[in-house]
Amino acid sequence: MAGLRALSPALALSGQRTPKRLTRADIGELLDTHGLTPSRALGQNFLCDPGTIDKIVRLARVRPGDLVVEIGPGLGSLTVALADAGARVLAVEVDKYLIPALGQVVSGQDVTILNHDALTLDWDEALNTISADVAAPWSVVANLPYNVSVPLILDLLAGSHRLQRFLVMVQKEVGERLAAGPGSKTYGIPSVLAAYWGTASVVGSVASQVFLPRPRVDSVLVRIERHEVLPVAAPFEV
């Protein structure tokens, strides 16, 4: 695939066994070992709390054999949990410097890594690297960078109908806006567009202390279920 760097199964760069749930100490060690610093420009805040990670997988309702896209896997904290649940994971990571560490963490798991910007990715082409079955439903499970979460979610909803279910972590205010109904103080264009494609709801909260580095805001988990039939007959136009 042009412009994509794919490793499938993910490349192991170390014979050392990595913990299945990364803690704060594990994240720090990976950053030190690979000479990495979290990028503020890319909104990198790495999950480092096993309980929160398992909560996300549970709320995403991941089952063995599910096809799952994870955007911004970072160092793989959530990725390994998704794979442990039996999912086949397509992990899309824009930061090329994280790829070696990510590959080490998910070594031996059913994970394919694509080094690409999710905002410019041809999603149908990317999904075909895992399954060419256009009828097979995909889930999106991700801790999204705050600075691109709204355009990315709306692009995913408009971009491929194969992406059927979403469980995404976003800034609290963003999540409330996506799930807002008419008459709400937070109701706006993102609310309308999300409602056109599916049903959005806030299903959980995430405190800032479960990340490294710790962000200055709290997060929420938003579930979006795509409509089987669009609620209005008018076609979507950008």
Side-chain angles (χ1 to χ4, degrees):
M1 186 184 301
L4 298 181
R5 178 184 178 184
L7 310 174
S8 178
L11 180 64
L13 299 184
S14 170
Q16 183 179 0
R17 181 176 176 80
T18 305
K20 289 188 176 182
R21 297 293 182 272
L22 301 186
T23 64
R24 184 175 299 272
D26 297 322
I27 294 293
E29 183 177 345
L30 279 166
L31 292 171
D32 289 343
T33 298
H34 293 271
L36 299 169
T37 301
S39 169
R40 181 174 296 181
L42 294 177
Q44 290 175 349
N45 301 97
F46 302 120
L47 271 172
C48 56
D49 178 67
T52 300
I53 293 164
D54 287 336
K55 174 183 176 180
I56 294 170
V57 175
R58 183 176 70 254
L59 289 173
R61 301 168 180 168
V62 176
R63 298 292 183 268
D66 281 359
L67 298 169
V68 175
V69 169
E70 184 189 4
I71 298 166
L75 294 173
S77 300
L78 178 57
T79 320
V80 289
L82 293 168
D84 283 347
R88 300 174 63 189
V89 183
L90 174 63
V92 181
E93 176 56 58
V94 67
D95 188 351
K96 65 181 181 180
Y97 299 107
L98 293 183
I99 298 299
L102 176 61
Q104 174 189 329
V105 169
V106 302
S107 173
Q109 302 274 23
D110 193 358
V111 176
T112 298
I113 300 172
L114 292 182
N115 178 205
H116 203 282
D117 185 346
L119 285 168
T120 61
L121 187 60
D122 182 325
W123 280 102
D124 284 326
E125 186 179 359
L127 300 182
N128 283 340
T129 64
I130 309 299
S131 172
D133 181 1
V134 297
W138 283 77
S139 296
V140 175
V141 184
N143 167 27
L144 297 178
Y146 293 147
N147 56 339
V148 297
S149 58
V150 170
L152 182 53
I153 291 169
L154 298 179
D155 281 356
L156 292 171
L157 286 167
S160 177
H161 287 267
R162 296 164 73 177
L163 303 174
Q164 291 289 315
R165 297 184 300 162
F166 296 71
L167 196 287
V168 292
M169 187 190 305
V170 295
Q171 186 175 344
K172 181 180 178 181
E173 289 76 11
V174 169
E176 292 172 345
R177 191 173 302 122
L178 286 168
S184 168
K185 292 181 180 180
T186 55
Y187 188 71
I189 292 176
S191 319
V192 174
L193 293 175
Y196 176 87
W197 293 113
T199 300
S201 57
V202 175
V203 295
S205 59
V206 181
S208 60
Q209 59 261 31
V210 304
F211 298 95
L212 181 69
R214 180 174 178 171
R216 297 179 180 177
V217 297
D218 287 335
S219 305
V220 294
L221 297 167
V222 176
R223 178 182 292 137
I224 304 174
E225 301 275 357
R226 187 183 290 277
H227 296 310
E228 292 185 11
V229 178
L230 291 176
V232 294
F236 179 78
E237 295 181 1
V238 179

